[in-house]
Amino acid sequence: MTDAAPRASRGSPGWALVWRLTYAFLRLIDPFLRVSWRAGTLGITSRLEVPGRRSGRSRSVLVGLLRVNGRWYVGHPNGPAEWTRNLDAAGQAVIRPWSSMPVRVSATRLQAGPEREAAIRATAVQQPLPGNLLYRASRRHVLAVGVYFRLEPT
């Protein structure tokens, strides 16, 4: 799989910068987010553990676990990130929803189409405030460059 965006558009440079700054801030406060996640106060946030594509060592990232029509989805709104590249390469991971046991999953990268669009729409609804507002405002950019996966228990 390539890092090319699912659509011909490369998204908006303005939104790309907004998302880069947002994720830089989230990396900065990651230790506090993990404490909040363990306390169960981060809404749809789950921990995704995926093997590194070069090292094979388990990597952990907090992601929003989206639920659409009984299926699970995760994604990154601003194009490929290290964890999406790892998930693409591995094709499998372990998802740890806050109040549930860990689940081994297979991951299928979504191409442009109705299923991917439904996952992106769900992000704008299911993410807690203020994330939901950011997803709604940048919807065209996310549709153009976002990388999303369907997760299926194995």
Side-chain angles (χ1 to χ4, degrees), residues 3-97:
D3 285 344
R7 299 202 176 195
S9 170
R10 296 304 295 169
S12 159
W15 281 115
L17 178 60
V18 168
W19 282 111
R20 276 196 307 273
L21 293 173
T22 299
Y23 277 93
F25 176 70
L26 292 173
R27 279 190 301 279
L28 182 68
I29 65 169
D30 184 72
F32 302 106
L33 292 175
R34 288 179 185 267
V35 168
S36 294
W37 176 75
R38 283 191 289 276
T41 60
L42 285 182
I44 66 170
T45 304
S46 295
R47 191 170 80 195
L48 183 74
E49 297 171 2
V50 61
R53 63 191 178 285
R54 294 186 191 117
S55 69
R57 291 186 7 224
S58 181
R59 304 292 184 190
S60 169
V61 63
L62 294 178
V63 296
L65 181 60
L66 307 164
R67 292 173 170 88
V68 180
N69 298 326
R71 291 189 161 184
W72 290 348
Y73 298 90
V74 293
H76 193 280
N78 204 30
E82 291 302 316
W83 72 267
T84 65
R85 290 181 184 103
N86 289 341
L87 190 55
D88 228 358
Q92 63 181 359
V94 172
I95 190 84
R96 295 176 181 265

Side-chain angles (χ1 to χ4, degrees), residues 1-2 56 92 112 124:
M1 205 44 74
T2 67
Q92 63 181 359

